[in-house]
Amino acid sequence: MKSENITYSQQYINCSRKELLEAVSQVMSPKRFIHVKGVEQAALELAEQYGADREKVSIAALLHDYAKEQLDEEMRDIIISENMDLELLQYGNNIWHGPVGAILIRNRFEVTDTEILDAVRHHTVGAPHMGLIEQIIYIADYIEPNRDFKGITEARTLAKSSLKEAIAFATLKTLKYLLEKNVKIYPRAIETYNAWVVQK
Ligand SMILES: [Fe+2]
Ligand SMILES: [Fe+2]
């Protein structure tokens, strides 16, 4: 089933899919909007294969990068006012846009479903325990059709046979990349690694 054929029940979000697309396109560059639609497409394919709720997956995919182009200053304020882990302040947008995005979409679109919120919250560095929708968004973000990097074919093949294997692959590859760049690693990324790569 094509994404255009999904009708939102208004059970999880206060608008239609068309209105959501419009709202999302207004907070990001055209390039990122193409990425977001690619994530929805990849996520819906995974939802079909692994039996996840298509409406929730569509909403989570379209909203996963909602905070990506927010100003750092506004994001810092949200981290503080929402009593998030203050260690976050030592990192940046790459980590923040997941947890801050979850707050923004709750406020703007009245999303309260924990599976959708957790999928948005955790898509940046994963989490030791991820439910099906979180897993789908984490992997769809990595393999969506516009992605092109060394290993993408293997990641796409793995996602077709095992979400868990695909998560292990993506997590290991991302961590290796960060270590080679000598950047600071957010501790939960290590927890995700321990849970999904070491203990798979
Ligand atoms: Fe993201
Ligand atoms: Fe993304």
Side-chain angles (χ1 to χ4, degrees):
M1 193 161 114
K2 288 246 163 56
S3 54
E4 292 74 27
N5 299 331
I6 297 180
T7 307
Y8 290 173
S9 62
Q10 313 268 312
Q11 199 180 337
Y12 304 116
I13 192 160
N14 62 7
C15 64
S16 68
R17 180 173 174 279
K18 190 165 174 275
E19 288 164 339
L20 181 57
L21 281 168
E22 177 59 27
V24 169
S25 75
Q26 280 169 5
V27 298
M28 60 184 61
S29 68
K31 189 172 177 227
R32 177 157 287 111
F33 187 53
I34 289 170
H35 158 69
V36 162
K37 288 189 286 186
V39 172
E40 188 199 29
Q41 187 189 326
L44 286 171
E45 282 169 25
L46 294 170
E48 196 122 309
Q49 186 185 344
Y50 293 100
D53 185 297
R54 293 170 47 82
E55 180 182 352
K56 286 201 204 187
V57 164
S58 165
I59 293 169
L62 293 180
L63 286 173
H64 86 281
D65 274 344
Y66 189 77
K68 183 76 186 173
E69 294 182 23
Q70 289 288 306
L71 295 173
D72 281 0
E73 209 39 61
E74 288 168 17
M75 294 176 100
R76 262 192 215 101
D77 289 349
I78 290 171
I79 288 166
I80 294 165
S81 66
E82 293 289 330
N83 297 312
M84 290 182 195
D85 174 16
L86 290 180
E87 201 182 344
L88 278 169
L89 295 174
Q90 296 172 42
Y91 297 83
N93 178 294
N94 279 343
I95 310 285
W96 296 346
H97 77 275
V100 170
I103 300 298
L104 294 180
I105 67 170
R106 184 198 68 195
N107 293 346
R108 173 152 184 201
F109 301 101
E110 298 174 55
V111 175
T112 54
D113 183 86
T114 47
E115 288 186 297
I116 298 173
L117 293 176
D118 283 346
V120 172
R121 188 178 285 128
H122 294 149
H123 86 272
T124 47
V125 289
H129 300 283
M130 291 193 276
L132 181 58
I133 293 179
E134 288 172 87
Q135 295 179 31
I136 285 175
I137 299 301
Y138 185 80
I139 287 305
D141 194 21
Y142 196 72
I143 64 166
E144 61 97 356
N146 307 291
R147 293 276 196 215
D148 187 15
F149 53 83
K150 204 164 162 272
I152 183 71
T153 309
E154 190 178 352
R156 287 183 179 133
T157 307
L158 283 173
K160 285 200 171 71
S161 57
S162 162
L163 266 183
K164 288 186 174 50
E165 293 283 344
I167 291 170
F169 180 87
T171 301
L172 180 60
K173 229 168 162 272
T174 304
L175 194 57
K176 274 186 181 165
Y177 171 78
L178 293 172
L179 289 171
E180 271 162 23
K181 284 210 311 184
N182 289 349
V183 296
K184 205 165 155 173
I185 310 289
Y186 186 55
R188 218 188 49 238
I190 307 285
E191 290 174 31
T192 303
Y193 164 82
N194 286 339
W196 292 90
V197 182
V198 181
Q199 292 167 24
K200 74 170 177 186

